[in-house]
């Protein structure tokens, strides 16, 4: 499986930058940083960067807000002649414990509105990397919870999860999807990285 696009989901703007819902952005930004990307190119519905891993790979952050992520994907697919199966989507997951990762070849949206928007636009046959953002307890409204920052005692663990998720993306980009699943789909304490 060759990945041509890594699409990190999140919400644009400084108000959302460090929230649980923006972990997808943070992972894609970490991959970009590792490859020396300084500037992102602005397009109608997203920001883009290009990295080289022996071939060129697009990195993207939608500017359409989470619930309309599918609009950005539709534009990207049309502009660059991409296919769902060559797109790795990186997204937060409130159903996974903090820092747990789940890499899958395809699947439904679950309770995630960003994934729901993508599935409506491009179907369900795209690989996805879910990054767990659920803390010890969820307080208040779920939408408010995911658009809030990590608690002080979660910040370090969340940062480590972003790094491990970027490692998973890098492994996937090296055409080692099975190896990435075998390594990163285990609890963080069981991973031999």
């Amino acid at each position: 499986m060759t990945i041509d696009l890594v699409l990190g989901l999140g919400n644009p703007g400084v108000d959302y930058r460090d929230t649980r819902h923006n972990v997808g952005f943070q992972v894609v930004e970490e991959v970009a940083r590792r490859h020396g990307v300084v500037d992102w190119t602005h397009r109608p519905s997203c920001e883009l960067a290009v990295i080289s891993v022996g071939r060129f790979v697009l990195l993207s952050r939608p500017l359409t807000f989470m619930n309309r992520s599918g609009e950005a994907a539709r534009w990207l697919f049309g502009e660059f002649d991409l296919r769902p199966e060559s797109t790795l989507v990186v997204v937060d997951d409130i159903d996974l414990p903090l820092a747990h990762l789940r890499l899958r070849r395809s699947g439904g949206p679950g309770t995630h509105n960003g994934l729901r928007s993508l599935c409506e636009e491009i179907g369900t046959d795209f690989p996805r990397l879910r990054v767990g953002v659920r803390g010890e307890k969820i307080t208040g409204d779920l939408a408010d919870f995911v658009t809030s920052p990590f608690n002080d005692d979660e910040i370090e663990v969340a940062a480590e999860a972003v790094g491990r998720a970027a490692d998973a993306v890098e492994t996937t980009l090296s055409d080692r999807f099975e190896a990435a699943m075998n390594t990163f789909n285990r609890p963080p304490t069981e991973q031999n990285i």
Side-chain angles (χ1 to χ4, degrees):
M1 170 183 296
T2 299
I3 300 298
D4 298 316
L5 167 66
V6 181
L7 182 63
L9 300 191
N11 287 313
V14 294
D15 291 344
Y16 298 101
R17 175 142 185 81
D18 296 319
T19 66
R20 296 170 195 273
H21 227 16
N22 272 36
V23 164
F25 274 15
Q26 293 169 18
V27 172
V28 171
E29 289 164 359
E30 174 60 16
V31 172
R33 185 197 63 75
R34 292 177 180 186
H35 289 269
V37 171
V38 177
D39 295 317
W40 291 72
T41 302
H42 295 271
R43 292 292 189 238
S45 59
C46 61
E47 294 177 310
L48 294 172
V50 178
I51 62 170
S52 176
V53 293
R55 60 190 162 75
F56 292 115
V57 175
L58 284 171
L59 305 178
S60 183
R61 302 179 296 204
L63 296 173
T64 53
F65 285 91
M66 185 66 80
N67 295 350
R68 294 176 27 225
S69 297
E71 294 174 23
R74 183 179 62 226
W75 182 86
L76 286 160
F77 279 36
E79 187 72 12
F80 297 102
D81 195 29
L82 298 167
R83 301 175 326 277
E85 61 272 13
S86 70
T87 301
L88 175 62
V89 175
V90 184
V91 63
D92 65 284
D93 192 330
I94 193 68
D95 295 323
L96 283 176
L98 181 62
H100 286 235
L101 306 178
R102 285 294 173 265
L103 182 62
R104 298 284 187 257
R105 290 185 180 277
S106 63
T111 60
H112 199 284
N113 290 332
L115 286 176
R116 183 172 295 113
S117 176
L118 282 172
C119 290
E120 289 169 0
E121 291 288 343
I122 65 172
T124 59
D125 292 330
F126 57 89
R128 73 274 321 264
L129 174 61
R130 295 177 184 250
V131 182
V133 297
R134 187 180 72 228
E136 289 297 314
K137 59 182 176 177
I138 298 173
T139 56
D141 178 69
L142 187 58
D144 290 338
F145 182 75
V146 296
T147 57
S148 68
F150 290 100
N151 299 331
D152 289 343
D153 59 336
E154 298 171 327
I155 290 173
E156 185 176 334
V157 174
E160 290 171 3
V162 167
R164 276 198 335 280
D167 294 341
V169 170
E170 297 266 17
T171 304
T172 301
L173 292 179
S174 66
D175 295 328
R176 295 175 28 218
F177 199 91
E178 292 295 327
M181 287 197 305
N182 290 337
T183 300
F184 295 100
N185 283 352
R186 297 183 303 212
T189 55
E190 294 178 16
Q191 293 178 9
N192 298 321
I193 301 171

